[in-house]
Amino acid sequence: MKKLSLILVVCMILCALTSVAMGETYTLQLGHAQSTTSARHQSCLLFEKLVEEQTNGDIQVEIFPAGQLGNETEMTEAVAMGILQAVRGGDLEYLPEITILSLPMLCDDLDQVRTLCNSDFVKNMLSSIETTHNIKVLAVGDDSGFRQITNNVRPIVKPEDMKGLKMRTVLEVITLSMEAFGANAVSIPFTDLYMALKTGVADGQENPVALIASQKFYEVQKYCTLIDYMICAEPFYVNLDWYNSLPDDYKKIVEDAAVAMMEENSRITDEENNAYIEEIKANGCEVTVLTAEQRDSFRAPAEEVWKKYVESGRITKDQLVEMLAVIDKTVSW
């Protein structure tokens, strides 16, 4: 990040912080980029409540939503430097290993997702960030649940239905997934996506139903397939030095509250997603819910993406097998 940008972020944070008397309490400033109506913010409020109650106010949590302290990259850098204590949904480039949680068709349901996110395998894998960036990952969740597929050409019930579709992608794992399913990936900024779908620059896109509904993509998409093909992981980063300064019992309180926060985020998201699906249906977009057999037809092409991750060295086959064992699954090769 440019020096001027970092200085501005530091100034924003310092202006926002409340002074706390030395030796009386610990302060945890927590930033995130979403609105105060989001599941992320509501679950952060639970984290604040749990931590403050269970430490008798010795840890004071101050939440700064809606990008008040900068974007996710800026806030993550501030956490690494110790200027900010915590960020929800921070920059994933600080932790490239986390992208393996987004492998297509990895988990069959959100219970498996959450079992995997809370597993010792994931905790051990993510510990590398402590030495590389002075950051500790206290919890990992899923960002708005599973991602779904919409398009303007046909209902999607098998990989062959994806053939030739121009699908907007953003992350590499999404591009690899769409290509494995037979689609053609096109890169379009999120701000331009609605018009791209409307004008046919892209035939379709993939996102959680929360974004499909909130961005009104159903106005420019005829078909929505609930395929549950991948999630994007959402980390909770804290500054390692700040964490290490806590007494051991307070560390445990903060860790448990972080897990409870992610569980609350999931509970709210599940409730909201049901409403979003009904909204999509009510606005004329045909919604297809895949049967278990139909969804399983995407497994073989998805495993080709897994192979590419192994071949590129981003995960070893032994690690992949170990990760799958957490959710009682295996590889077919």
Side-chain angles (χ1 to χ4, degrees):
M1 180 170 40
K2 293 181 180 179
K3 184 178 294 186
L4 179 59
S5 177
L6 181 57
I7 291 173
L8 290 174
V9 173
V10 172
C11 291
M12 290 170 64
I13 293 172
L14 292 177
C15 289
L17 304 185
T18 303
S19 62
V20 179
M22 290 293 290
E24 294 183 0
T25 63
Y26 299 89
T27 303
L28 189 157
Q29 297 95 20
L30 193 171
H32 69 83
Q34 295 188 1
S35 72
T36 55
T37 61
S38 66
R40 181 177 293 177
H41 184 72
Q42 295 305 309
S43 59
C44 283
L45 293 176
L46 175 65
F47 174 82
E48 176 184 24
K49 179 176 183 290
L50 291 174
V51 169
E52 292 186 352
E53 285 183 353
Q54 294 176 20
T55 63
N56 297 314
D58 285 349
I59 299 179
Q60 290 292 309
V61 179
E62 302 172 0
I63 303 171
F64 300 93
Q68 292 178 26
L69 304 182
N71 61 37
E72 290 186 347
T73 297
E74 292 166 338
M75 286 189 285
T76 304
E77 186 158 345
V79 170
M81 297 177 65
I83 300 167
L84 180 65
Q85 282 73 55
V87 59
R88 268 281 297 278
D91 191 337
L92 298 185
E93 289 188 8
Y94 277 65
L95 196 57
E97 299 96 328
I98 205 171
T99 61
I100 68 172
L101 299 179
S102 296
L103 289 174
M105 313 306 288
L106 180 65
C107 295
D108 296 329
D109 54 50
L110 289 175
D111 285 340
Q112 288 185 349
V113 170
R114 290 150 192 171
T115 295
L116 187 57
C117 286
N118 291 323
S119 68
D120 288 338
F121 172 84
V122 168
K123 291 175 183 176
N124 293 335
M125 177 186 69
L126 303 185
S127 63
S128 64
I129 197 172
E130 297 180 18
T131 54
T132 56
H133 294 293
N134 198 40
I135 288 173
K136 186 174 183 65
V137 181
L138 282 190
V140 178
D142 56 275
D143 187 0
S144 302
F146 279 115
R147 299 176 79 90
Q148 317 298 351
I149 293 173
T150 69
N151 83 100
N152 267 327
V153 179
R154 63 181 76 92
I156 304 299
V157 297
K158 56 186 182 300
E160 290 78 8
D161 296 328
M162 298 286 295
K163 187 174 181 179
L165 294 184
K166 296 177 292 183
M167 294 294 298
R168 182 262 182 177
T169 67
V170 53
L171 300 174
E172 181 190 20
V173 67
I174 297 174
T175 298
L176 292 173
S177 299
M178 292 298 106
E179 291 175 345
F181 295 157
N184 299 320
V186 291
S187 178
I188 299 169
F190 188 75
T191 52
D192 299 334
L193 182 52
Y194 183 98
M195 189 56 65
L197 296 171
K198 183 176 182 178
T199 60
V201 173
D203 296 317
Q205 59 86 51
E206 56 73 57
N207 260 305
V209 291
L211 277 177
I212 294 170
S214 65
Q215 299 300 311
K216 300 188 184 301
F217 291 148
Y218 51 68
E219 293 179 345
V220 289
Q221 296 278 265
K222 295 178 182 178
Y223 307 102
C224 176
T225 297
L226 302 183
I227 182 176
D228 294 350
Y229 89 99
M230 68 166 279
I231 59 101
C232 280
E234 178 187 326
F236 178 46
Y237 294 147
V238 297
N239 176 265
L240 182 61
D241 291 338
W242 179 86
Y243 171 83
N244 285 336
S245 74
L246 299 176
D248 288 344
D249 55 339
Y250 283 6
K251 289 178 182 176
K252 183 67 164 54
I253 288 171
V254 172
E255 290 171 0
D256 290 347
V259 173
M261 171 177 64
M262 291 303 191
E263 291 175 349
E264 175 70 358
N265 189 87
S266 297
R267 184 193 66 78
I268 296 170
T269 295
D270 290 347
E271 288 183 356
E272 292 179 342
N273 282 352
N274 290 331
Y276 288 136
I277 291 169
E278 293 306 312
E279 180 181 346
I280 293 167
K281 289 180 181 177
N283 283 276
C285 187
E286 181 181 319
V287 175
T288 299
V289 181
L290 296 189
T291 66
E293 184 178 3
Q294 289 170 334
R295 186 176 180 275
D296 196 54
S297 69
F298 288 84
R299 175 67 181 265
E303 286 203 28
E304 294 302 312
V305 179
W306 302 3
K307 285 183 180 179
K308 289 182 179 180
Y309 263 59
V310 171
E311 291 166 355
S312 67
R314 281 171 285 190
I315 185 173
T316 68
K317 184 165 183 187
D318 287 344
Q319 287 174 321
L320 179 61
V321 169
E322 182 182 355
M323 179 171 66
L324 289 169
V326 173
I327 50 176
D328 297 321
K329 298 180 74 171
T330 60
V331 293
S332 61
W333 39 277

